[in-house]
Amino acid sequence: MHTQVAIIGAGPAGLALSHLLARQGIESVVLEHRDRAYVEGRVRAGVLEQGTVDLLHELGVGERMAREGLVHRGFHLQFAGERHRVDMHELTGGGAITVYGQQEVVKDLIAARLRQNGPIRFEVSDVALHGLDGERPAVRFRQGGEAHELTCDYIAGCDGFHGVSRSSIPAGALRTYQKIYPFAWLGILAHAAPASDELIYAYHERGFALQSMRSPTVSRLYVQCPLDDRIEDWSDDRIWSELHARLDLADGPPINDGPIFERGITAFRSFVVEPMQFGRLFLAGDAAHTVPPTGAKGMNLAIADVRVLGAALAARYHEGRDDLLQAYSATCLRRVWRAEHFSWSMTSMLHRFPDDDGFQHQLQLAHLRYTVSSRAAAASLAENYIGLAP
Ligand code: APR
Ligand code: PHB
């Protein structure tokens, strides 16, 4: 078997890349460890920057998103018992984000790719990368009990934080940067109308909470919890009582409860590798960098990476130039570090730190008061939130 680009992983990065390449007449094969139902059912964040929305439209997969996605022109910051609206639209001269679940994006990308007869091989195992520093790399894997070898010109490592691609690079070729945070998020989906049309980010003495949504009848809610909490530690009653304690205001309607149909714990990690390339292997998305979920930059960064990679591979195949491929890592890392800073900053502003003796709490309140009272500070938050231009 031979293809031009072997893509490891059918998350947003790998799937969007397969579409970008197909539109340039470049062949690819996607190799995915899990089955299709698992990949389509995995619940992640759901905030799309305008650049992400535009790319999905360019790829011809934006139709359901345009129908079902919720366009938001603002969000709320809540602290000290008050809710303040950040008017992203006005502060950024017309910017907005779209709320549409990552797994809906994944479903749309898979359906469209399979309609074009684009090869996605689900349930492959023992993926191993070979010859990365030569002219003819190869991917060996097993599927249905048989061993296969796929030779290719380039490999795109789009297999997430725990994938095999990054760990196939020899020790010493990469520099890694990492920050672990002393808390996690417990996230739920519930059949309950969102209490607010726009997202509410709440900083509370008991910890962070977030009211988000997936539709007018489905709420997506998160509470900050200790790092080592297990999902079994949280009964439905405990989840709702924490959400009410952190999100309800004395003088407004409480958030709405409803049957919980999905729950999970999201770890916090800021992680970056430099460079995002080794020989003919290019890393994209979570394989190369992760951000804490506050601000929902993860999928947007993954899509931004493959936009750059797709254009660089097109220049290579159609114009014989490899300068864009050479520049791939540096081009992506400028955006990645901007998003790392923003995600770290928003996380630091909005969470209770378990070792805080009160000093950090006062700094956080000062930061929040400044953000909602200074137009310059609010505009800075808003322009980062909607996503800076490439
Ligand atoms: N072989 C083949 N596939 C693999 C392997 C492997 N060894 N390891 C992991 N995968 C698959 C995973 O099953 C998953 O479907 O790679 C895919 C990686 O997808 P994501 O984790 O969604 O990563 P990415 O496409 O970079 O998207 C980043 O996902 O984690 C969120 O918050 C993150 O929103 C961001 C987005
Ligand atoms: C979500 O809806 O899942 C979501 C929204 C905003 C965030 C993170 C997650 O900052």
Side-chain angles (χ1 to χ4, degrees):
M1 263 191 290
H2 181 80
T3 191
Q4 291 176 301
V5 182
I7 299 175
I8 319 297
L15 292 166
L17 181 63
S18 71
H19 281 274
L20 283 160
L21 295 176
R23 290 170 67 82
Q24 296 286 342
I26 301 167
E27 273 175 27
S28 69
V29 175
V30 177
L31 301 175
E32 166 60 47
H33 179 54
R34 302 286 192 159
D35 65 34
R36 182 177 175 185
Y38 182 93
V39 172
E40 293 187 342
R42 200 165 35 196
V43 178
R44 299 283 192 47
V47 171
L48 311 188
E49 295 176 358
Q50 192 58 44
T52 303
V53 170
D54 292 345
L55 182 90
L56 295 171
H57 281 302
E58 273 168 48
L59 296 177
V61 298
E63 194 242 333
R64 194 165 66 96
M65 171 183 67
R67 230 178 327 117
E68 297 177 15
L70 308 167
V71 176
H72 285 195
R73 294 176 161 203
F75 62 87
H76 300 278
L77 282 178
Q78 181 171 313
F79 59 98
E82 284 179 26
R83 199 171 285 172
H84 306 260
R85 181 163 190 267
V86 177
D87 188 338
M88 293 186 285
H89 194 71
E90 194 266 329
L91 288 162
T92 62
I97 54 96
T98 298
V99 176
Y100 187 64
Q102 176 170 320
Q103 94 260 34
E104 306 307 324
V105 172
V106 165
K107 281 182 207 162
D108 296 344
L109 287 166
I110 290 174
R113 191 70 192 124
L114 295 178
R115 264 200 309 276
Q116 304 158 358
N117 294 317
I120 307 177
R121 287 179 172 243
F122 291 101
E123 296 181 81
V124 305
S125 61
D126 303 315
V127 170
L129 314 189
H130 296 274
L132 298 178
D133 50 3
E135 300 273 287
R136 185 58 29 132
V139 184
R140 300 201 186 119
F141 60 97
R142 299 187 71 81
Q143 193 178 33
E146 272 179 53
H148 299 273
E149 183 176 82
L150 175 66
T151 58
C152 54
D153 304 331
Y154 297 98
I155 301 176
C158 304
D159 48 353
F161 182 72
H162 299 286
V164 70
S165 298
R166 192 180 63 251
S167 48
S168 307
I169 298 175
L174 296 181
R175 168 137 196 214
T176 64
Y177 299 86
Q178 174 156 252
K179 179 170 178 58
I180 307 283
Y181 300 80
F183 40 74
W185 279 3
L186 176 118
I188 61 163
L189 284 170
H191 292 294
S196 151
D197 291 345
E198 294 178 333
L199 273 59
I200 307 166
Y201 287 90
Y203 174 65
H204 190 275
E205 276 73 3
R206 303 184 65 84
F208 171 82
L210 170 60
Q211 154 86 71
S212 179
M213 65 212 62
R214 287 294 177 270
S215 77
T217 57
V218 172
S219 290
R220 176 73 169 150
L221 294 144
Y222 297 96
V223 276
Q224 175 185 351
C225 67
L227 191 55
D228 40 18
D229 268 17
R230 291 162 314 147
I231 199 77
E232 304 78 57
D233 300 333
W234 287 80
S235 65
D236 290 16
D237 282 351
R238 183 171 173 215
I239 293 172
W240 288 115
S241 87
E242 277 306 321
L243 284 166
H244 282 295
R246 301 179 195 189
L247 283 162
D248 290 352
L249 292 175
D251 56 355
I255 58 157
N256 298 312
D257 299 17
I260 297 175
F261 63 94
E262 214 286 330
R263 64 189 78 213
I265 292 194
T266 304
F268 272 59
R269 177 188 282 110
S270 300
F271 175 86
V272 181
V273 287
E274 285 188 16
M276 292 167 54
Q277 179 210 355
F278 177 76
R280 291 195 166 223
L281 169 64
F282 292 84
L283 301 175
D286 274 22
H289 43 74
T290 64
V291 287
T294 330
K297 291 296 177 204
M299 173 170 46
N300 294 293
L301 282 178
I303 298 284
D305 285 352
V306 296
R307 188 197 272 281
V308 175
L309 184 55
L313 287 166
R316 173 72 194 79
Y317 281 107
H318 300 321
E319 298 166 43
R321 295 166 46 191
D322 69 357
D323 56 322
L324 296 183
L325 278 178
Q326 301 289 347
Y328 168 73
S329 176
T331 304
C332 291
L333 285 168
R334 271 193 296 276
R335 172 191 286 271
V336 167
W337 278 113
R338 180 68 235 120
E340 290 291 345
H341 177 262
F342 172 69
S343 306
W344 164 83
S345 162
M346 207 168 161
T347 299
S348 306
M349 180 170 78
L350 289 167
H351 291 76
R352 285 312 303 265
F353 284 78
D355 57 357
D356 179 26
D357 60 7
F359 184 83
Q360 188 155 0
H361 174 62
Q362 294 301 335
L363 291 182
Q364 289 171 266
L365 289 174
H367 191 185
L368 283 159
R369 284 193 301 265
Y370 176 55
T371 303
V372 300
S373 58
S374 152
R375 183 181 169 87
S380 169
L381 174 65
E383 74 175 7
N384 278 280
Y385 195 86
I386 65 161
L388 296 170

